[in-house]
Amino acid sequence: MSAKKTALTVLSAALLVPAMLAPPAHADPEPPPPAADGKGQPPRAKAAPAPPAAMSSVGGASLGQPGTQVNLLPGAPALPANITGRSWIVADAETGEVLAAHNAHWRLPPASTMKMLFADTVLPGLPKDKVHKVTDEEMSGVGPGSSLVGVKEDHEYTVHDLWLGVFLKSGNDAVHVLSAMNGGIDKTVRDMQAHAEELQALDTHVVSPDGYDAPEQVSSAYDLTLIARSGLQKEDFREYCGTVTAKFPGLQEEGKPRDFFEIQNTNRLMTGAGGISPYKGIAGVKNGNTTMAGSTFTGAAQQGSKKLLVTVMNPDTGGANSVYEETAALFDWGFAAAGKVRPVGELVPPKSADTTSYGSPAQSHENSPTAGGDDSGSSGIGTAMGIAGGALAVLAGGAFVVNRRWPRGRRGPGSQGGLDA
């Protein structure tokens, strides 16, 4: 990796090693005001929609039920009060056990958390040192009001540069360029849909690779957690989602050195922007905000030997910090509740995983098969947080990796995998 191209700043556990940190260069901006172009977050409508009476049972029958699902054992802490997300989930990143959930399979607009699926699908096929010159055509489809990192036509960028733009600034311009390098938007959407089905993320319907508001583009807290778990197995994915600040290429004029400017991750649990304290042990993954989706966030964190995934979709309270505050509260609960709850479900393995002794994998909800895409190694057994002892770290030869273990019990649509036994 070229130091000239990228300057990484990583979080240390609860600021235990201050000398390793550089302060954020600028605050994560507030979400833009409501606008007709599909960006921003207007006030909640007077009557919020109710979840479906029955949802998908992938991962366990309880997960298909509306409302909060949790089995507290003696001594377990109560769930935090005032969690207003329409859908959320707390899961063990290693075992896949779902510790608690609320409307886990409610199919909702995902906003830029959809970029996790985009990265998990496309990232393995593009060498990070490949240089690409951006064309006008590649930039023409970027939606009005999109979040941008600052990609310019007729300028050259490495794939590594572009992925930093996707993860740190949620740049739809970078997504469109990478999609073009993958064979175009339409192919990329097909690839993403195929990969979602391979992961058994069957609540997910992809319309745009960047998560920009589009009719019928949906996912769920359950699916986003599956997707994050898959992405975190890839070293480059872990690097990008765990990067706090980086240098991004600017103007490129003949005969002059290339300009660079600093970009900062919009994940406030990493940066502490907006008055949110950095969360101890946070390792990513991706946040999002649009008019249709409200605020969405999937995060991964480690404290001690325990590694958790939390997804929160569309808190009712509004405000730029709500999704982070509710995620942090659920992380706190999950770490305190470890070993004191009976799981309510599981994160299922990919279809291609060897589950012959557990029954058939779930079936797709799609009416027709999708083309393109391969699983790009995402069905492997290593889940990584890039964190150790509550710290986010970049280690020589790859980040700290923990084994991903399939939960014990029967597999199949509607199966709880024996987790309630």
Side-chain angles (χ1 to χ4, degrees):
M1 181 189 309
S2 171
K4 189 175 182 180
K5 292 287 184 184
T6 307
L8 299 179
T9 304
V10 296
L11 281 177
S12 182
L15 306 183
L16 291 177
V17 191
M20 295 177 62
L21 297 177
H26 58 276
D28 181 21
E30 293 295 318
D37 57 32
K39 300 298 292 183
Q41 186 178 3
R44 177 79 72 222
K46 290 183 180 179
M55 294 168 277
S56 168
S57 59
V58 172
S62 292
L63 299 181
Q65 300 301 312
T68 301
Q69 310 299 319
V70 65
N71 293 324
L72 300 175
L73 299 176
L79 282 165
N82 301 320
I83 300 297
T84 67
R86 291 183 180 175
S87 176
W88 55 260
I89 192 169
V90 182
D92 187 300
E94 287 190 295
T95 66
E97 293 174 342
V98 177
L99 306 185
H102 180 78
N103 301 325
H105 281 290
W106 193 358
R107 301 178 76 187
L108 297 167
S112 284
T113 49
M114 182 66 81
K115 290 181 172 77
M116 294 189 299
L117 178 60
F118 170 69
D120 195 39
T121 304
V122 175
L123 187 154
L126 297 176
K128 64 193 302 182
D129 58 353
K130 183 175 181 179
V131 177
H132 178 77
K133 189 172 185 178
V134 177
T135 68
D136 292 345
E137 183 180 5
E138 292 166 355
M139 300 290 287
S140 62
V142 178
S146 288
S147 52
L148 306 172
V149 66
V151 174
K152 302 297 183 184
E153 298 88 342
D154 298 321
H155 284 52
E156 292 182 341
Y157 301 87
T158 64
V159 167
H160 182 260
D161 294 329
L162 294 169
W163 282 120
L164 287 170
V166 170
F167 277 92
L168 273 67
K169 295 297 290 181
S170 206
N172 289 5
D173 45 359
V175 170
H176 278 249
V177 174
L178 289 164
S179 296
M181 297 176 70
N182 185 58
I185 295 292
D186 291 344
K187 177 182 180 297
T188 298
V189 167
R190 293 194 301 269
D191 289 352
M192 290 170 65
Q193 190 67 61
H195 187 50
E197 295 192 11
E198 157 61 17
L199 296 178
Q200 302 204 68
L202 305 182
D203 299 321
T204 299
H205 183 257
V206 185
V207 177
S208 65
D210 51 21
Y212 191 82
D213 282 343
E216 299 183 3
Q217 177 151 274
V218 291
S219 190
S220 66
Y222 183 88
D223 280 15
L224 293 173
T225 307
L226 277 185
I227 292 163
R229 193 180 187 214
S230 176
L232 287 166
Q233 308 202 18
K234 299 173 176 63
E235 183 179 353
D236 288 348
F237 187 106
R238 298 192 301 268
E239 175 197 333
Y240 298 133
C241 79
T243 298
V244 178
T245 64
K247 297 294 184 182
F248 194 81
L251 291 177
Q252 184 178 17
E253 298 181 19
E254 187 174 354
K256 295 182 179 180
R258 184 75 179 264
D259 288 335
F260 289 83
F261 58 92
E262 189 169 77
I263 58 175
Q264 177 176 282
N265 203 311
T266 55
N267 176 354
R268 295 186 177 192
L269 289 185
M270 292 182 66
T271 65
I276 291 289
S277 298
Y279 192 82
K280 180 182 179 181
I282 192 70
V285 179
K286 190 71 188 76
N287 57 306
N289 184 286
T290 67
T291 298
M292 291 175 62
S295 295
T296 61
F297 181 66
T298 297
Q302 176 180 351
Q303 291 184 10
S305 61
K306 183 62 63 176
K307 302 169 182 66
L308 298 179
L309 289 163
V310 170
T311 296
V312 175
M313 301 185 76
N314 204 348
D316 279 325
T317 54
N321 287 336
S322 294
V323 75
Y324 301 109
E325 293 167 345
E326 296 192 12
T327 297
L330 289 170
F331 269 133
D332 287 345
W333 176 84
F335 287 122
K340 300 175 183 177
V341 296
R342 182 180 298 135
V344 296
E346 67 184 34
L347 301 178
V348 296
K351 287 183 177 181
S352 61
D354 181 8
T355 59
T356 53
S357 62
Y358 301 117
S360 300
Q363 298 300 308
S364 170
H365 70 275
E366 296 293 326
N367 295 325
S368 58
T370 53
D374 69 279
D375 113 62
S376 305
S378 63
S379 61
I381 62 170
T383 293
M385 295 292 141
I387 42 185
L392 176 66
V394 176
L395 306 180
F400 177 70
V401 180
V402 296
N403 290 328
R404 181 166 86 172
R405 302 188 294 272
W406 305 134
R408 295 186 297 274
R410 294 185 302 106
R411 298 249 188 261
S415 169
Q416 292 239 33
L419 292 171
D420 287 334

